[in-house]
Amino acid sequence: MGAVQTIARPRAAADDSATLPLDTILTADCIAAMKALPAASVDMIFADPPYNLQLGGELFRPDGTHVDAVTDDWDKFDSLKHYDAFTRAWLAEAHRTLKPNGTIWVIGSYHNIFRVGATVQDLGFWILNDIVWRKSNPMPNFRGTRFTNAHETLIWASKGEKAKYTFNYRAMKTLNDELQMRSDWEFPICGGQERLKKDGHKVHPTQKPEALLYRILLACTKPGDVVLDPFFGTGTTGAVAKRLGRHWIGIERERGYVAAATQRIEAALPLDESAVATMQSPRQQPKVAFGTLVENDYLTPGAILTDAKRRYRVTVRADGSLVSECGAVGSIHKLGAALQGAPACNGWTFWHYEADGAGLRPIDALRQTWLLATQP
Amino acid sequence: MGAVQTIARPRAAADDSATLPLDTILTADCIAAMKALPAASVDMIFADPPYNLQLGGELFRPDGTHVDAVTDDWDKFDSLKHYDAFTRAWLAEAHRTLKPNGTIWVIGSYHNIFRVGATVQDLGFWILNDIVWRKSNPMPNFRGTRFTNAHETLIWASKGEKAKYTFNYRAMKTLNDELQMRSDWEFPICGGQERLKKDGHKVHPTQKPEALLYRILLACTKPGDVVLDPFFGTGTTGAVAKRLGRHWIGIERERGYVAAATQRIEAALPLDESAVATMQSPRQQPKVAFGTLVENDYLTPGAILTDAKRRYRVTVRADGSLVSECGAVGSIHKLGAALQGAPACNGWTFWHYEADGAGLRPIDALRQTWLLATQP
DNA sequence: CAATCTAATGAATCACGTT
DNA sequence: TAACGTGATTCATTAGATT
C-alpha cells in the first residue's frame, strides 16, 4: 500500500479513450451500464447508492407541518437480502471497471453503510479510511426518541491492499490550515441556491453538497483523471469534476434527473477559484456544553455552585442540570434566570465554584481550562 | 417502537438476582460466560470487541480464541470469515441475554465495524443510531498516506423493531446546553491520570475514556439497571456504572486486566442519589386531565382561551371541553387540531388564558401549578 | 433601506396506554 | 387486535414579508 503523488500516470489509454463515454451521462440501469464499460478503465468511482431507509408512517414536526420523506421507488427493496444482492452486484462491477491504482468512495447512513462496507471488504477492496460527514444543519429528531441523526458515513477504499492509490496529502493539509486533514468533515446539507429546484420543488430528494465532492476529488484524483458515478442523480459529481478539470462518466436511470444534470453541468464553469475558498476552509467553532465538564469530571455531580455573592446555592447533577435548595431544576442558564426572576442569565459567569484555597471562581474558568486542554 | 420513560420497570427479577453475578468480573471466555447467563436478564450491553485482522495479522477462531503466527496459511478472506463467525457467536449470546426492552452498544473502527453492524442487523437487532466518537487528540497519520483516523464508530441498537427502549431524552438535551444531543460526540482519548499504568506502561492498549461510558449509561439506562460488558478489559464500564448507581457484570479472560479492573472499580466512588438524578421528561409526570383544573377552579367554566396569537378563541365548558365561536366542540387537543386543520395538537401549550396583568400564559402553567400543589 | 418577523424545510428506519 | 384519545416534540438556514 502507499500513496503515490509523484509518478505521472498516463491519462486514459488510447484504446480506452475510444470506448469510454467521457463527460457524458448514460441513461441506463447502473449495473447493465457498468458491465458495458471496459475493465480497469476509470481512476475513481464515487457512489451514492440507495440507502434502503425503510421508513414507517407519516412524520410531522412539532408545529404540525408534514415532513417530506424519501418515498421514491428507487429506495425500496423487498428485504435486506435483496439489498445485499444489489449491493454486491454493482460493487463487483465497480471493482472490475476500476484501474488497479484507482479508489472508490461510497456514501451511506446507518441503514445501509454496514452492509455496503462488509461487501466492499468481501470483494477484496482495501478500506483506507471511513469519513464522517458531520452536517452543520441536520434535521432534528422531532419526537425526541433518539439522538439527532447528524452525520453520514463515507468509505474510501483502494482496489487491493498493495495498490498505489492517489492521495494528495499536501493539498489536504494546506486546505486544513497546515494540520493533517482528519476523518471527520463538516459541511452544511445542500440547500439555498445550490439546491436544484423545479416548480418550487426539489428535483432530487438527496442531492449532495458540491463541497463534499470537491474535497474528495481534490484529495484522490489528478487533473485529467476519469471519475465514474454509477448513481449520478442530478450530477453533483459531474459538475464538480468539470470545475476541477477531471473527466466524468455518469449513469442514471431516471430521465428527469438526467435532464437536470445535463443542464447543470453545462452551466458549470471550470476552475471557479472564488468558490474554492468558501468550500475548502473547514470551519469549526469550539462550543462547550456545561455537561461536557461534568462528563469529563471537571466538576463532579453533587458539587455545590453559588453566585458571586453566595445568595443562591445549587447542586450539580449527573446530566449537568442544577437543583436548588427549594427543589427547582434546570440548566445553568435557565435556573440562574429563574432564581433571579430575570428573563435570561449567562450561567457561565453567574455560577461559581469553590476552588481549593483560591476562593470562588466562575465556572467559565473551567470552560477555558477545558478548551486549552482539547483545542489544538 | 419508542422511548419509554414512564413505566417503572422491575429491577432484576428475584430469580435473576439469585443467578446474576452482579457487580463482579467473570474471568472467562466471553462466549462461554455469556452462555451461562440467564436469557433476557440484562438491561444494557456495552461491547468493545477486538478490532480484528489487518493490524498485525491477528486472527480469531469462531470461539474467540486467538490464532498465532499463521499469516501464511490464512488469506484475508479466511480471516474475515472467521472474524464474522466470532462476531456472530458473541452477538447471538448478547441478543439472548438482553431483556426485551434492553439495548446494546458496540464500538469499533473501520476495520471491523461494518462486519459488526451487518451482523447486528442480521440477528434482528434494530439499529437506533450510529454514533461517532470524534477524538479531540487523535494519533496523526505519520506517513501522510491517508486522512488522520480521528474517530471511532458506535452502534446503538434495540433487541427488535418494536422494542420500547430507554432513552433519557431530557437528560441528554440538558447535558448539551438545551440542544438535542447529536450523533457526533467529541471526547479526548483516554490519557493522563485516567489512563491505567503499570511500571510506566499502559495496562491496556485501547482503554476507553470514562466520559464516553458516562454519556452512554446516562442516556440509555436507569439507576439500578444491569449493564453487561463482555469485553471488560480494565473495567471502564464497571467504574462508570458504579459511579452512576448502575449494576454491572464484566467478562474478561486476561487475568492482568481483571486485576487492574478490580482495583480500579474498588476505588471508584458512587455518587449520591440526588447527584445521579437527571432532568425528567414530562412523559414521566402523572397525567392531569384538563377537567381536573376546571373542577378545582383553576379555570372557571365560561373562561376564554386563545392561542398565542389570538387567532382562535374558545370558551371553557363545565366538563373541561371547549367550544369555539363557530360552534365546534372538543377536548383541548382535538379542538386545537381541528381549528388549525392539523393532524394533532398539544392543547396544553397551544391554548392560553389571560393572566391578571401578566398577559397570555399557556394553560400548561396551570397544570404545573396543580402538579406542584398535589405531588409530594 | 435596514432591521425584524414569519414561513418553509432537510436521506427520519420518530408514541403509548386503554378499550 | 385494531381503533381511539391523550399529548410530547425541533435546529439551522434560507427566503420572503413586514415594519
Side-chain angles (χ1 to χ4, degrees), chain A residues 61-82:
Chain A
R61 299 185 181 80
D63 66 4
T65 59
H66 183 254
V67 175
D68 185 18
V70 178
T71 53
D72 306 69
D73 285 339
W74 51 252
D75 196 49
K76 290 186 167 58
F77 293 83
D78 291 335
S79 67
L80 275 184
K81 203 172 169 182
H82 283 85

Side-chain angles (χ1 to χ4, degrees), chain A residues 100-336:
Chain A
N101 291 332
T103 59
I104 185 170
W105 286 78
V106 192
I107 184 169
S109 67
Y110 67 85
H111 309 83
N112 71 322
I113 198 66
F114 302 114
R115 318 204 75 80
V116 168
T119 306
V120 161
Q121 292 178 307
D122 288 344
L123 287 169
F125 286 109
W126 191 252
I127 298 182
L128 300 166
N129 277 116
D130 60 335
I131 298 290
V132 174
W133 168 27
R134 306 174 53 221
K135 302 181 184 183
S136 52
N137 51 347
M139 189 190 304
N141 181 294
F142 295 118
R143 305 302 292 266
T145 57
R146 304 180 179 188
F147 299 97
T148 305
N149 191 7
H151 75 276
E152 293 187 26
T153 301
L154 299 106
I155 294 171
W156 177 42
S158 65
K159 195 162 176 174
E161 182 175 356
K162 306 292 184 188
K164 304 200 184 304
Y165 54 89
T166 296
F167 178 57
N168 300 313
Y169 175 76
R170 277 303 323 173
M172 287 297 104
K173 188 165 180 178
T174 302
L175 233 138
N176 196 32
D177 277 349
E178 291 305 317
L179 290 176
Q180 285 190 349
M181 187 68 82
R182 297 167 41 114
S183 56
D184 52 333
W185 303 351
E186 179 173 334
F187 297 110
I189 58 177
C190 184
Q193 295 301 311
E194 186 185 328
R195 188 88 193 208
L196 297 184
K197 293 194 177 166
K198 188 175 182 183
D199 306 328
H201 299 289
K202 57 190 176 193
V203 175
H204 195 286
T206 70
Q207 186 183 335
K208 296 294 177 286
E210 295 198 4
L212 183 68
L213 270 296
Y214 195 101
R215 186 174 296 179
I216 289 171
L217 293 189
L218 209 58
C220 304
T221 64
K222 294 197 257 293
D225 275 1
V226 178
V227 180
L228 169 66
D229 185 336
F231 305 96
F232 203 56
T234 49
T236 305
T237 301
V240 175
K242 181 178 178 186
R243 293 222 333 257
L244 288 175
R246 274 70 168 166
H247 290 295
W248 55 273
I249 302 170
I251 305 174
E252 175 55 49
R253 197 171 42 188
E254 312 247 346
R255 297 186 179 277
Y257 298 159
V258 172
T262 304
Q263 190 177 5
R264 172 190 190 179
I265 296 170
E266 272 172 13
L269 297 177
L271 279 179
D272 182 349
E273 295 292 351
S274 65
V276 175
T278 58
M279 294 171 51
Q280 288 304 316
S281 56
R283 59 204 172 91
Q284 53 179 353
Q285 44 180 0
K287 191 182 170 196
V288 181
F290 179 66
T292 300
L293 303 184
V294 180
E295 284 178 328
N296 289 278
D297 222 23
Y298 278 59
L299 275 175
T300 304
I304 302 297
L305 303 182
T306 69
D307 65 302
K309 296 178 185 169
R310 301 180 202 267
R311 283 175 301 193
Y312 307 106
R313 179 185 165 87
V314 295
T315 304
V316 176
R317 302 201 301 181
D319 61 353
S321 62
L322 306 181
V323 55
S324 75
E325 288 166 321
C326 68
V329 293
S331 66
I332 56 172
H333 311 294
K334 283 189 172 174
L335 191 58

Side-chain angles (χ1 to χ4, degrees), chain B residues 101 103 130 251 263:
Chain B
N101 293 332
T103 59
D130 61 334
I251 305 174
Q263 188 176 7

